[in-house]
Amino acid sequence: SDLMENNDLYCGEQYDRLMEQNPEQTKAVYFYYGVNDYADWFNIEYAKRLLSDIRRKLPDSPVYVLKVLPFSTQYANAKNMNKQVAAYNKALEKYCSADDMLIFIDASAPVVTKYGNLKSSYTKDGLHLTKTACKKWWTAVQEEVEKHR
């Protein structure tokens, strides 16, 4: 079934809503703290704090931590930004490896080039996915999550 249609998904601004939810009603959490949050320069410590809070509140719910997607080459300063994205993802994956309920999910393959950039044809601004790309990425997320159930 389509997870986007059958579950509540929370954006960063809805974090408080997630934390107020009844733990028994939460089967899983999908965590994507990424490119829209880059004003914090991919602050891994803040991401760890959010994940720690989620785990404390929802100890029996798996947290699928989604790999942050890179920028496309059309984005200004993409090369430097993608180095930061890669370092952030590496630290995030390492953090997840210490907790069986934090599952790092890499679903980037359908939307990323062999050079590690977001495919330019899948974005209009070098950052945000088009509808087509979003569908491909979300399908890959679902497939990766199923491998961990």
Side-chain angles (χ1 to χ4, degrees):
S1 69
D2 188 341
L3 296 172
M4 291 181 95
E5 291 177 10
N6 298 325
N7 292 280
D8 287 330
L9 298 179
Y10 296 93
C11 298
E13 63 272 9
Q14 295 177 329
Y15 172 77
D16 291 339
R17 184 173 152 212
L18 171 65
M19 297 310 285
E20 292 169 2
Q21 186 165 324
N22 181 340
E24 288 80 33
Q25 294 175 328
T26 305
K27 294 180 183 173
V29 175
Y30 294 81
F31 182 89
Y32 187 85
Y33 176 77
V35 291
N36 277 341
D37 306 299
Y38 80 93
D40 289 328
W41 297 101
F42 304 103
N43 186 331
I44 189 64
E45 295 307 317
Y46 185 66
K48 287 177 182 179
R49 193 187 90 203
L50 293 174
L51 288 166
S52 178
D53 289 349
I54 292 167
R55 289 289 295 123
R56 248 189 319 281
K57 173 70 178 178
L58 305 166
D60 299 323
S61 299
V63 180
Y64 299 106
V65 180
L66 308 179
K67 180 179 182 176
V68 174
L69 297 174
F71 295 80
S72 83
T73 55
Q74 71 198 73
Y75 192 86
N77 201 20
K79 187 175 183 179
N80 182 49
M81 295 301 291
N82 284 343
K83 285 181 184 176
Q84 292 179 49
V85 170
Y88 172 81
N89 280 327
K90 185 176 181 180
L92 194 58
E93 185 173 16
K94 181 179 179 185
Y95 180 73
C96 291
S97 70
D99 183 338
D100 289 342
M101 295 297 274
L102 293 176
I103 301 121
F104 188 80
I105 299 292
D106 180 356
S108 62
V111 295
V112 173
T113 69
K114 65 181 179 180
Y115 302 108
N117 301 307
L118 183 62
K119 292 179 180 177
S120 294
S121 60
Y122 284 159
T123 180
K124 292 179 180 166
D125 62 2
L127 169 64
H128 298 96
L129 297 176
T130 62
K131 281 187 178 183
T132 299
C134 195
K135 287 177 183 177
K136 287 179 183 269
W137 175 74
W138 189 249
T139 297
V141 167
Q142 291 175 312
E143 290 169 356
E144 290 301 313
V145 165
E146 284 303 315
K147 292 177 185 177
H148 295 279
R149 288 191 177 192

